[in-house]
Amino acid sequence: MKLRIVSLSLLGILLYACSPKVVPVVTDVKAPLTSPPTPSLLSAELAEGKNLFENNCAKCHELYDTKQFSAKEWSPILYRMQKEAGISDTDREKIYSYVTAKL
C-alpha cells in the first residue's frame, strides 16, 4: 500500500515538473510591460525574432522592454541567455535584430 502511494506521488511530481509553464497575462496598466508594443506590420525576420523572443524568454522570466537596453547592452545579455535557453546562433541573431530594431 505504501509503495502505491509513493509511486503515485512520484508520478504526480514528475507530471507536474514536465508540464508546460503558463505565463499569466497582465492586464493592469500599472504592471510591468510583458511584451513590447510593436507595429502590426513587421518584416518576416523581425516577426520571427519577436516570436522567438516572446516564446523563449518568457518561459523563465518576465519579458524586458526592448527599449530598456541599447544594442551594445543587448549583445552580452543574449549571449548569456542563449546558453540558458538553448537557442541556436541563427535564432539569437533574429532575436537581436528584433530587440535592437527602432520600432
Side-chain angles (χ1 to χ4, degrees), residues 52-69:
L52 289 167
F53 175 70
E54 291 175 348
N55 291 325
N56 288 294
C57 302
K59 286 180 184 177
C60 299
H61 58 79
E62 195 170 308
L63 294 177
Y64 292 107
D65 183 1
T66 57
K67 295 176 179 104
Q68 186 173 355
F69 301 106

Side-chain angles (χ1 to χ4, degrees), residues 12-101:
I13 291 169
L14 179 66
L15 288 174
Y16 177 75
C18 294
S19 65
K21 307 302 180 242
V22 178
V23 178
V25 176
V26 178
T27 57
D28 186 10
V29 176
K30 296 178 183 177
L33 186 63
T34 55
S35 66
T38 56
S40 59
L41 298 174
L42 293 175
S43 69
E45 183 182 5
L46 289 180
E48 190 172 354
K50 177 183 185 285
N51 186 35
L52 289 167
F53 175 70
E54 291 175 348
N55 291 325
N56 288 294
C57 302
K59 286 180 184 177
C60 299
H61 58 79
E62 195 170 308
L63 294 177
Y64 292 107
D65 183 1
T66 57
K67 295 176 179 104
Q68 186 173 355
F69 301 106
S70 68
K72 187 176 180 180
E73 292 170 323
W74 272 115
S75 186
I77 293 170
L78 291 177
Y79 276 106
R80 187 179 76 244
M81 290 292 110
Q82 176 185 8
K83 294 175 189 172
E84 298 282 335
I87 298 171
S88 70
D89 290 341
T90 306
D91 288 346
R92 184 197 69 235
E93 290 302 319
K94 290 176 184 175
I95 294 170
Y96 181 78
S97 295
Y98 168 69
V99 297
T100 58

